[in-house]
Amino acid sequence: MAYLTPKTLTCPSCGHTGPLSWITGVPLDNAPRAGRGYVKVHKSGDWTVEKAEGETVVRCPTCTTEVTRRSLKP
Ligand SMILES: [Zn+2]
């Protein structure tokens, strides 16, 4: 199963703001074990989303400042 986490992000550099939703997938047995499941961007709005080493990096579309990043694992 999976659930959505809608966020409103604001760029710390230029103040650009907009919505971005994360989707978190969890194993069917729901056992809380490290390294299982996934975290991905569901709807990125106009944010620039990059894949980095084991992480998703979200950058501002106007000034390319890194706004947030999250591990690919919950
Ligand atoms: Zn910006």
Side-chain angles (χ1 to χ4, degrees):
M1 69 167 280
Y3 57 92
L4 289 173
T5 312
K7 299 266 190 196
T8 300
L9 303 180
T10 302
C11 174
S13 177
C14 74
H16 177 85
T17 188
L20 182 142
S21 301
W22 298 95
I23 185 164
T24 304
V26 293
L28 280 177
D29 64 9
N30 236 347
R33 277 178 230 154
R36 304 187 69 204
Y38 61 85
V39 179
K40 293 194 291 195
V41 170
H42 178 62
K43 283 187 179 157
S44 60
D46 58 359
W47 299 103
T48 302
V49 177
E50 295 174 2
K51 291 275 193 302
E53 191 79 15
E55 293 187 310
T56 302
V57 179
V58 179
R59 290 186 186 279
C60 178
T62 58
C63 71
T64 74
T65 297
E66 182 180 322
V67 178
T68 190
R69 64 169 61 207
R70 276 189 78 168
S71 169
L72 297 176
K73 302 284 185 182

